[in-house]
Amino acid sequence: MSQEFPIIGKIPLAEWIDTGLDWLTDRFALVTRAISRFVGEGVDLAVGLLTYPPPWVVILALAALAWLLAGRRVAIGSAAGLALLWNLQLWGATMETLTLVLFATTVAVAIGLPIGILGGLSGRAHRVMTPMLDFMQTMPAFVYLIPAVPFFGLGPVSAMFATVIFSMPPAIRLTTLGIRQVPAELVEAADAFGATRSQKLFKVQLPLAVPTIMAGINQTIMLALSMVVIAAMIGAGGLGGEVWRAIQRLQSGNGFEAGIAIVILAMILDRITQKIGQRRQT
Amino acid sequence: MRRIKVRNLTKIFGEYPDQGLKMLRKGLSGEEIHERTGMTVGLDDVSFDVDEGEILVIMGLSGSGKSTLIRCVNRLIESTAGIVEVDGEDILQFSAEKLFELRRRKFGMVFQNFALLPNRTILDNVGFGLEIRGVAEEVRVAEARKALELVGLKGWEEAYPRQLSGGMQQRVGLARALAVDPDILLMDEAFSALDPLIRRDMQDELLDLQSRMHKTILFVTHDLDEALKLGDRIVLMKSGAVVQIGTPEEILSHPASRYVQRFVEDVDKSQVLTAGSVMGKIRAVAFETDGPRTALHKMREESFYSVFVTSRDFRVKGVVWADDCDAAIKRGDKNLAYILDTDFHKVREDAPLAELIARLAGSRIPLAVVDEKEKLLGTVVKSNVLSALAETQQGDVLPEHPGHGGEESTDGAGAADGAEATDTGGKRQKG
Ligand SMILES: Nc1ncnc2c1ncn2[C@@H]1O[C@H](COP(=O)(O)OP(=O)(O)O)[C@@H](O)[C@H]1O
Ligand SMILES: [Mg+2]
């Protein structure tokens, strides 16, 4: 297995990366820890808000929101799914996971959208970004967890950090795609009527890119959910935490219960975001 | 008044346009430049003016540079060299800000594939230009409604583009351009994507709108029939260069080159040649104050058998015939009043050939071509029509740069004379 590479031996890539990360940690740990505390409190607060009222209140509220965004069928399905999770006594964990996913997605989209727009408008930016995005997306998700800890400490904020990085690429990619897909003649028409760059962006390019951008956000949410589960390994808690505990105790039943809960949550989030995209399209 | 002035406009697509420009100025053809450098000469030294209120058609085969040209006029494409002036201002020097302003204030554009925003209602599409201008919503909606009504689409405000047929979509495109009340309309193959019947309707409608609104219109097409129908003047292009500029009639009756001629051969001449272009010039008239002797003398001078009688300021009154003059002289008439034949047809200069033929068929007297004050401009006999048709239809006998063919071919027919030597026989029995 471990054969020596002739003459020069192994390139100390791991050492270089460690040195680099140590350097970054030394410089920025104070800042990142502060951020961590701040975000951590935000997450706690949100989870607190979602778990303080009786679950049926929250279920009704979420179903109403789903109705508003995605119609009646999705609303009924969501209510039923959430009720099942409550019944399985996974309510707290579900709310924790939901919060993490929504926080991470919000941050990923807030960062990803402008970057994606840049890539859509500038061919050069697009060329620079593509390999970076490939890198971010193909790197195994676990790897992001390791450096997150020295920056943000064990817990949900590290999980969120890794989640943001892991889930951001589709938001960027599909925003870029959506803007580049806008037919050139429509952009030309806007030009012909004297539209400035920002008028073109906000009146033509972004509105026409919305369905594609929504598809990107949908993917981001799905990736965020999968990452939040994995991040249980560094103490993210939630449904991932339930799975993790079941693995350590070899409790298949409990593991599957938590797994099913994750699937249900995924389906709810998926249907709602998909419907938003489709609605905007018609 | 001149609205747009284009001089020596040249556009080279490619990485090193300046190098291409040098090659072009050295006399290399667009093809050679493309072969050597891979760059494309989109426009090659194009010059023309567009006057206030005219429809100027830019015509040429696909790839001849029409779209490039029309886009250089509002700088959707930046030219490599040359001058573009709009209302006396050199727009190539405009800053980005001024350019936005120019496009918002002066231009409306209509596109081949409509270019409507699929996510907006018809009303919001039509209001787009006004929205870009920052016009308040109530005003915008009101103007957009007006424009929609103008193109006959009232009631479709809340529909989406995909719910409309192609013809209707292009009406929306036209309404969008008209809604900003532009001085200048740029139309790039605006009707080319429509099927022939709809297309003809749209052409008629454009002409109708134009007769009311008097915009200055730059209209691109690859279809000669469309060009002839719409154009006050036509700019004919080939490989980025202008081949000929002229009125539809000039282009048809005097095609400047084989290239133009090849286009022209497809067209039904009788639809386009007019009285003005086929008429013979006036070589003699009798005045109403003349006596029969004077009239006869004038006829003999030109070997005519009849002559038009006009007032001193050349308003047509009628025709007199040589035989009648003889009789009048014998009777001792002092003027032409008794022998004045008023049974003749007057036509205007722009009367189409089809009308001339119909009129001539029922009459042996030449047609008098008159202006709006009834002044005699020329005359038309059958031989004028026939020779004009023969000339323009048999492309082969046409010289590369013909002289003023109309005059030459009608020389024999004389002017105020229906009685050219060749058809004397029938003409003699008057009755
Ligand atoms: N952006 C471009 N890059 C390179 N070549 C172009 C570009 N736009 C047009 N051309 C070339 O310039 C020529 C004229 O094109 P165009 O103006 O579109 O012709 P038309 O509208 O008469 O069909 C064509 O040979 C075309 O291939
Ligand atoms: Mg074109």
Side-chain angles (χ1 to χ4, degrees):
Chain A
M1 277 297 283
S2 60
Q3 286 174 356
E4 289 293 318
F5 191 85
I7 309 169
I8 54 170
K10 177 184 177 293
I11 299 172
L13 187 58
E15 288 78 358
W16 291 342
I17 292 172
D18 282 342
T19 313
L21 284 173
D22 284 347
W23 185 83
L24 283 173
T25 320
D26 283 350
R27 294 285 154 112
F28 297 109
L30 270 181
V31 183
T32 51
R33 293 288 171 140
I35 293 175
S36 176
R37 259 193 308 280
F38 182 71
V39 175
E41 274 165 29
V43 172
D44 286 347
L45 185 68
V47 174
L49 278 175
L50 284 171
T51 47
Y52 176 74
W56 62 268
V57 174
V58 179
I59 291 174
L60 282 183
L62 289 177
L65 189 68
W67 193 318
L68 209 69
L69 293 173
R72 198 179 54 156
R73 282 183 54 185
V74 176
I76 293 172
S78 302
L82 290 170
L84 178 63
L85 297 182
W86 178 23
N87 176 272
L88 293 176
Q89 299 185 339
L90 289 169
W91 184 253
T94 303
M95 289 303 106
E96 222 171 298
T97 296
L98 183 64
T99 306
L100 279 180
V101 167
L102 294 183
F103 261 66
T105 306
T106 307
V107 176
V109 171
I111 300 172
L113 205 63
I115 296 178
I117 290 173
L118 187 68
L121 299 179
S122 146
R124 182 183 296 175
H126 179 59
R127 280 191 297 279
V128 173
M129 276 157 43
T130 306
M132 289 171 64
L133 292 173
D134 290 341
F135 179 90
M136 280 165 75
Q137 243 179 332
T138 39
M139 178 66 68
F142 305 93
V143 179
Y144 291 121
L145 297 175
I146 309 165
V149 176
F151 283 108
F152 300 103
L154 277 173
V157 180
S158 276
M160 258 187 59
F161 169 81
T163 304
V164 166
I165 293 185
F166 181 68
S167 65
M168 198 172 4
I172 297 178
R173 255 187 226 282
L174 285 159
T175 302
T176 296
L177 179 70
I179 286 179
R180 292 173 79 89
Q181 263 178 350
V182 172
E185 54 178 28
L186 296 185
V187 178
E188 186 180 51
D191 277 327
F193 283 94
T196 60
R197 286 180 81 155
S198 67
Q199 282 178 322
K200 250 185 334 196
L201 180 63
F202 289 110
K203 291 183 190 297
V204 178
Q205 292 166 307
L206 275 182
L208 288 172
V210 162
T212 315
I213 294 175
M214 282 312 298
I217 292 178
N218 175 279
Q219 286 187 25
T220 292
I221 292 178
M222 293 301 113
L223 284 184
L225 185 60
S226 67
M227 187 66 191
V228 161
V229 172
I230 292 167
M233 287 191 284
I234 54 168
L239 291 171
E242 299 294 324
V243 176
W244 190 233
R245 198 168 325 142
I247 291 174
Q248 286 170 329
R249 297 178 190 169
L250 286 175
Q251 300 169 322
S252 305
N254 287 345
F256 269 99
E257 263 183 15
I260 288 168
I262 290 166
V263 171
I264 290 172
L265 192 59
M267 279 173 63
I268 293 173
L269 290 172
D270 179 60
R271 292 302 127 82
I272 291 177
T273 47
Q274 259 185 22
K275 272 279 158 47
I276 297 175
Q278 285 166 8
R279 278 205 169 174
R280 289 299 300 261
Q281 219 164 357
T282 52
Chain B
M1 196 180 93
R2 183 166 69 198
R3 297 301 307 240
I4 303 175
K5 171 175 154 184
V6 173
R7 289 293 177 276
N8 311 105
L9 197 66
T10 302
K11 170 67 188 180
I12 290 162
F13 292 107
E15 262 184 281
Y16 309 103
D18 290 337
Q19 188 200 335
L21 197 61
K22 263 189 216 144
M23 295 169 86
L24 201 60
R25 292 199 170 138
K26 265 191 224 147
L28 271 76
S29 73
E31 246 165 65
E32 288 169 318
I33 293 174
H34 186 73
E35 250 166 48
R36 290 196 200 174
T37 66
M39 294 191 287
T40 306
V41 177
L43 292 176
D44 177 4
D45 201 30
V46 171
S47 300
F48 64 90
D49 289 329
V50 189
D51 294 325
E52 165 91 29
E54 82 169 331
I55 302 185
L56 185 78
V57 171
I58 299 169
M59 201 199 79
L61 296 173
S62 170
S64 57
K66 308 178 297 289
S67 296
T68 307
L69 178 55
I70 204 171
R71 280 165 178 71
C72 283
V73 169
N74 63 354
R75 280 182 60 186
L76 287 177
I77 293 180
E78 296 290 352
S79 48
T80 310
I83 297 172
V84 179
E85 286 181 15
V86 175
D87 293 331
E89 288 187 287
D90 179 0
I91 65 156
L92 300 184
Q93 302 306 321
F94 277 16
S95 63
E97 295 307 310
K98 277 188 87 175
L99 187 58
F100 291 141
E101 209 45 37
L102 175 83
R103 289 171 178 166
R104 290 175 188 185
R105 301 253 155 253
K106 291 216 167 133
F107 290 114
M109 194 159 182
V110 185
F111 301 87
Q112 176 166 8
N113 294 313
F114 324 136
L116 302 177
L117 295 170
N119 58 330
R120 287 177 171 233
T121 62
I122 298 306
L123 192 69
D124 287 345
N125 264 291
V126 174
F128 182 76
L130 296 162
E131 194 178 320
I132 295 297
R133 267 195 199 176
V135 171
E137 177 157 2
E138 315 89 75
V139 183
R140 192 167 81 214
V141 168
E143 292 295 317
R145 279 184 194 282
K146 245 193 277 174
L148 263 183
E149 203 171 335
L150 207 58
V151 299
L153 281 183
K154 200 181 152 115
W156 290 90
E157 288 82 357
E158 299 310 319
Y160 283 85
R162 66 172 179 285
Q163 296 171 282
L164 271 57
S165 69
M168 289 161 86
Q169 289 193 34
Q170 194 56 301
R171 278 165 210 265
V172 177
L174 188 58
R176 176 174 64 180
L178 291 174
V180 296
D181 193 24
D183 299 335
I184 302 168
L185 268 178
L186 303 175
M187 305 181 73
D188 187 5
E189 305 254 14
F191 304 149
S192 300
L194 308 176
D195 58 49
L197 279 178
I198 309 280
R199 190 168 178 179
R200 215 166 305 151
D201 282 349
M202 292 295 286
Q203 293 165 353
D204 291 337
E205 214 157 306
L206 181 67
L207 286 174
D208 181 50
L209 284 170
Q210 172 66 353
S211 70
R212 283 181 277 155
M213 301 191 301
H214 309 291
K215 302 277 180 204
T216 301
I217 302 179
L218 200 53
F219 191 102
V220 164
T221 181
H222 63 261
D223 174 11
L224 183 64
D225 288 317
E226 186 165 76
L228 294 170
K229 181 168 178 181
L230 298 178
D232 291 313
R233 290 188 304 139
I234 298 172
V235 176
L236 250 156
M237 299 197 48
K238 182 194 177 189
S239 315
V242 171
V243 190
Q244 186 174 11
I245 302 182
T247 62
E249 232 177 283
E250 283 165 0
I251 300 238
L252 274 186
S253 45
H254 313 299
S257 72
R258 295 246 160 230
Y259 175 76
V260 180
Q261 207 180 306
R262 215 159 312 134
F263 268 112
V264 166
E265 272 160 15
D266 295 336
V267 177
D268 181 2
K269 299 318 178 300
S270 60
Q271 291 298 316
V272 185
L273 288 177
T274 62
S277 70
V278 303
M279 70 184 180
K281 62 183 170 196
I282 308 159
R283 294 225 297 263
V285 293
F287 293 121
E288 47 188 349
T289 49
D290 287 345
R293 266 176 218 285
T294 322
L296 195 59
H297 177 74
K298 283 177 173 174
M299 283 184 246
R300 295 240 163 92
E301 199 88 27
E302 302 287 346
S303 331
F304 292 164
Y305 294 96
S306 67
V307 71
F308 273 111
V309 178
T310 72
S311 61
R312 279 281 164 189
D313 55 357
F314 296 100
R315 284 173 213 256
V316 203
K317 301 296 176 189
V319 181
V320 290
W321 299 86
D323 333 20
D324 294 337
C325 282
D326 278 336
I329 291 165
K330 284 192 191 110
R331 280 201 305 271
D333 288 1
K334 287 281 175 281
N335 58 40
L336 302 171
Y338 292 111
I339 56 169
L340 190 66
D341 185 353
T342 54
D343 187 20
F344 69 100
H345 287 298
K346 283 178 285 201
V347 293
R348 295 291 295 272
E349 233 183 327
D350 58 0
L353 207 55
E355 184 187 335
L356 304 184
I357 291 168
R359 291 273 164 94
L360 281 169
S363 161
R364 294 158 301 99
I365 310 177
L367 301 175
V369 182
V370 297
D371 68 10
E372 69 275 10
K373 294 194 182 100
E374 301 259 304
K375 267 166 75 171
L376 189 63
L377 300 170
T379 63
V380 179
V381 296
K382 280 185 189 124
S383 61
N384 294 121
V385 173
L386 291 176
S387 55
L389 276 174
E391 179 193 54
T392 44
Q393 267 169 359
Q394 296 165 14
D396 290 341
V397 299
L398 219 113
E400 194 71 24
H401 293 284
H404 192 64
E407 272 172 5
E408 272 155 26
S409 61
T410 54
D411 248 4
D417 183 15
E420 196 207 336
T422 48
D423 54 41
T424 22
K427 178 239 149 242
R428 294 283 71 212
Q429 293 105 37
K430 183 196 172 217

